[in-house]
Structures are given as C-alpha cells and as structure tokens.
Amino acid sequence: MTDLQNRPNIENKYLAGNYAPVESEVTAHDLPVVGEIPEELEGRWLRNGPNPESVDDAIKHHWFLGQGMVHGVRLRGGKAEWYKNRWVLDSAERAAGLFGANTNVGGFAGTTWAMVEGGNPPVELSYDLESRSINPFHGTLDGPFTAHPKYDAATGELHSMNYHWPDLIDHVNYTVVDSDGRVTKNLAIPVTDMPMMHDMSLTEKYAIVYDLPVTVNMDVLVEGYPFPFKWNADRAARVGLLPRNGTATDIVWCDVDPCYVFHPLNAYDAADGTVVVDLCRYDNLMVNDRQGPFAETPPTLDRWVIDPKTRRVTETRISDRPQEFPRHNPRFGLKQHRFGYTSEVLPADEANLHGATLKTDFETGTVEAYEYGPGRGGAEPVFVPKADGTAEDAGWLLTVAYDATTDTSDLCVLDAEDLGRGEVARITLPQRVPFGFHGNWVPDTSVSPG
C-alpha cells in the first residue's frame, strides 16, 4: 500500500499536495470569520470528493477513485456554526467495496444525498453528514444513478443519464425521480462501446444525451488500470435530443466535432426551435494520461446551438481561458440565462489546481474575474440566490479556496453581482479541503436539521 501522507508524491500528482486525502474526521464549532456572513444564508454548504484511505499502486491510481468524503459548513444568523467532514459509509461498508459515492452531494426530497457518477445508487446522509445507508430511492431505482441529476423546478423532478461499467454494456438509462424521491421513469438508450457519460442537460422539451468518444477500453484493463476509460479516436461524437415524453427511437442525434464534455452550464429551448447549451469542452481526454483529466488539453467555455430540424450543431468558442465546474443561478435552470460562473483551472500549476472565479456575461461577452491572491484559488462556485433579488446575477457565490502558501482552506462568500467587492466573508476551516469535485448549498427550508 502507498503511504498517502507522503504528499510530495512523484508517482501520481493526484495523491500529492492538496489532491492528497486528509486522514481524519473533524468537528469544529464557531469558525473564525473575516468580514460578515450574509444573515439570509441559513443552511449548509456541502462538498464531496475522493479521499482514499490507501491505494495498491500509486502509478495506476486515478483521481476519480477512492472513498467519498463529504465536507460541510453550517451557516446561521451570520455565523459559521460548524465544520464537519465525514467519510461516506462506515468502515465495514467501505471494506465491502461500497464506497462509490465520491462525486457530488446535495439535498432532495427532504434528505441529503451523496452521489457518484456511473455506479451505486445515492447514499443517504443525516443532517450532520453521518451515513445512513445506500438508498435506491426507496427501492424504486433498478440500476445505477449519476452524480449530476438535473432538477426541474416546475415539476419537482430529478432527471439523470446513468451508465455503469460493467453492468450496462450496450445502453445507458434515462431516469426520472419524482419530488417524493421515487423513480417514475427508467428508459434504456442504446449506445456502443460504453461511453463515459458524466453529465446531461435538460430543457423544457428535451433531455440531452452526450455520447462522446471516451469509452471503456479493454487494453487499459489488461494493463491493470482500475479506471478503464480512454479516448476513442475511431468513434464519432454526437449529441442527442430526447423528447422528455419520448422513447429512444425519438432521439434526434446530431454529430459534433470530436471532443469531451464533463459539465454543461445550462441549456434552454430557443424561440426559433433550436436548443442552446453552454458547456466546458475538451478537444480530447485521457489519450495517454491514465491518472486524471487535466494533463492533455485544457477545457474551454463553448456554446452549442443544436438544430433538431437540420441535425446540425453550431459550435462557438466563448473563451479560451481554461475553466471548469460551471454554475448558474438555479432559478434560471432550463431557461435562457445571461450569466455563468466557473473556476479557472491551472493544469500546469503543481501547487494549485484552481485560480480565479470567473463570471461570464453571455450577452455582452465580457468576463469579470476575482483573483484570490498569490497561491490562492477558488474551486467550484456554488450560486445561492439572494432572498430579495430579482436580477439574474443577484446572489452569493460560496467557494472553497485553497492557499498553497499556508496549506489551508477557507470558505469564501462572494457577491455574484459584483465580484470586485472581494470576499464578503472568509470562513477559516480547521483543515484543508482536498481538490475534489462538486457540492451544493442546502437551505434549512428544504432539509430538516433533525
């Protein structure tokens, strides 16, 4: 076993520095705050990511693997009441191999869920982040789930595209979960070569399927790498428009230039019948790198306009500045949006994956950036609408920032309307939060503190 506390790990950057896991579960109360936390923020900021306790072979370890660890900060009355971090599932369950929920965490149907891409159903967590059990939506989910379900505020439903190697070989599942946390639809969509379908998009008319050329590769498995996906240069790239009440035969498939997409920002139906999607796009992915996604081509911010009549996709580059983890005002989900927020990514920086928090105005083309200062960078920006806000950008951004000069992490609150205000509040966390993946703001109005 590799000693994961040997943080200058020359065998694998995803086990070194702030990628390296933390070894303890911590509870801390009354966190120090610089500035003022907006009093309307009452709930929990949550974040999930891999935190492996050990690996068999550091060279062959992939960043996407390992036990999940959820980090959380509870805010109330202008104070940061507590920080907690917990492994997902207890030791016995982790020993049994049930440790897949390492990608996202959020609130839905009155509870808290830890989720993984392409694997087990969600794990239900208590308000205090203790694992309760794997919960296949009260026994109604027959198959895998995703880390990136899309929420439709008009219906209260979650929509997801789910793959799972090796259980699903020739199809993915389109699943709809009703507001009561029970599956109401599970549709098989035929695909070849088992693509890595990390995310999806949703509009009022369509569920959008990203069928892109990163697929299961048997040679990777034979070489002993546990994450068996690789760029497939011989496979076409396409995006599908599935009518939400349709079947797999109703999908309108449209070819796109070879690429990979982890994360779309938002999608909507335009008045002319086209579908507009803003997303972070890679020219290729995991061609030779078997450890993670950032070594080969940087992600750019692009817009796709998909025409179901001509089956053509018009692709426009919005920004060449490398950026990922896009978010928007959730009140504008499935609707035409003007603003998007991303984290600048710095693949060549060995100390800090993240840089500035970026705000893109898709109407004017302007970009506003908040720079955290030397050695500091902000991860995924979670947008929380202001209680009395009417403008699309009226909200708060909650972002965990890592400081490579002190090896510490802070939870920062930015004003989404004016990044130039700087950090409205900086909450000092009792330990660093490793570079991980995704999280959400869960207000106490949606999940009981009990």
Side-chain angles (χ1 to χ4, degrees), residues 268 328 353:
Y268 60 89
H328 66 287
L353 170 65

Side-chain angles (χ1 to χ4, degrees), residues 207-273:
I208 302 176
V209 190
Y210 297 97
D211 187 12
L212 304 174
V214 173
T215 62
V216 166
N217 185 287
M218 299 308 295
D219 291 339
V220 174
L221 285 172
V222 170
E223 293 167 5
Y225 289 90
F227 192 77
F229 290 89
K230 183 180 179 181
W231 179 256
N232 188 342
D234 298 325
R235 191 178 188 279
R238 62 180 186 168
V239 59
L241 300 179
L242 167 64
R244 285 175 48 165
N245 293 322
T247 67
T249 58
D250 298 319
I251 298 177
V252 179
W253 289 108
C254 308
D255 292 337
V256 294
D257 289 338
C259 66
Y260 190 76
V261 174
F262 279 113
H263 304 120
L265 187 148
N266 190 35
Y268 60 89
D269 302 306
D272 62 1

Side-chain angles (χ1 to χ4, degrees), residues 59-298:
I59 292 177
K60 294 183 177 181
H61 175 76
H62 196 283
W63 186 31
F64 295 175
L65 302 179
Q67 293 90 333
M69 176 172 279
V70 172
H71 302 255
V73 176
R74 200 275 176 93
L75 304 181
R76 184 170 62 170
K79 297 181 179 180
E81 289 192 335
W82 53 250
Y83 162 87
K84 299 180 181 182
N85 67 304
R86 298 291 186 268
W87 269 290
V88 181
L89 295 175
D90 62 28
S91 298
E93 289 167 308
R94 294 203 301 271
L98 300 175
F99 49 75
N102 69 4
T103 316
N104 204 350
V105 59
F108 180 68
T111 191
T112 306
W113 307 85
M115 296 163 283
V116 66
E117 167 199 352
N120 292 321
V123 174
E124 184 177 336
L125 307 178
S126 71
Y127 187 89
D128 292 324
L129 309 184
E130 303 293 342
S131 296
R132 287 175 171 163
S133 64
I134 288 180
N135 187 338
F137 296 108
H138 309 290
T140 62
L141 179 67
D142 182 17
F145 199 59
T146 181
H148 285 291
K150 292 294 177 284
Y151 179 66
D152 184 344
T155 65
E157 299 169 329
L158 286 182
H159 296 247
S160 67
M161 293 290 170
N162 314 312
Y163 76 96
H164 189 201
W165 165 262
D167 293 339
L168 303 184
I169 302 299
D170 58 358
H171 70 280
V172 296
N173 289 338
Y174 168 50
T175 302
V176 181
V177 183
D178 207 350
S179 58
D180 65 356
R182 287 173 169 79
V183 173
T184 59
K185 182 173 184 175
N186 198 49
L187 175 68
I189 299 175
V191 293
T192 60
D193 304 317
M194 183 40 56
M196 183 175 72
M197 201 170 289
H198 185 81
D199 206 339
M200 66 167 293
S201 292
L202 189 70
T203 73
E204 293 178 353
K205 293 181 180 179
Y206 299 106
I208 302 176
V209 190
Y210 297 97
D211 187 12
L212 304 174
V214 173
T215 62
V216 166
N217 185 287
M218 299 308 295
D219 291 339
V220 174
L221 285 172
V222 170
E223 293 167 5
Y225 289 90
F227 192 77
F229 290 89
K230 183 180 179 181
W231 179 256
N232 188 342
D234 298 325
R235 191 178 188 279
R238 62 180 186 168
V239 59
L241 300 179
L242 167 64
R244 285 175 48 165
N245 293 322
T247 67
T249 58
D250 298 319
I251 298 177
V252 179
W253 289 108
C254 308
D255 292 337
V256 294
D257 289 338
C259 66
Y260 190 76
V261 174
F262 279 113
H263 304 120
L265 187 148
N266 190 35
Y268 60 89
D269 302 306
D272 62 1
T274 62
V275 176
V276 180
V277 187
D278 291 320
L279 44 76
C280 295
R281 178 190 184 278
Y282 297 75
D283 284 342
N284 55 56
L285 190 80
M286 294 190 287
V287 177
N288 297 305
D289 194 333
R290 301 289 175 267
Q291 297 177 342
F294 291 125
E296 294 169 322
T297 61

Side-chain angles (χ1 to χ4, degrees), residues 359-411:
K359 174 184 181 180
T360 298
D361 185 332
F362 292 95
E363 184 176 298
T364 65
T366 59
V367 177
E368 184 180 0
Y370 174 68
E371 305 280 354
Y372 289 82
R376 297 181 75 224
E380 177 186 56
V382 176
F383 190 105
V384 184
K386 292 179 180 177
D388 59 353
T390 57
E392 181 185 337
D393 59 348
W396 308 107
L397 297 178
L398 302 184
T399 305
V400 64
Y402 174 67
D403 189 333
T405 66
T406 59
D407 195 31
T408 58
S409 297
D410 304 308
L411 178 60

Side-chain angles (χ1 to χ4, degrees), residues 427-445:
I427 303 165
T428 302
L429 303 182
Q431 67 175 352
R432 63 183 179 86
V433 177
F435 296 139
F437 301 140
H438 304 291
N440 287 284
W441 170 252
V442 183
D444 283 350
T445 54

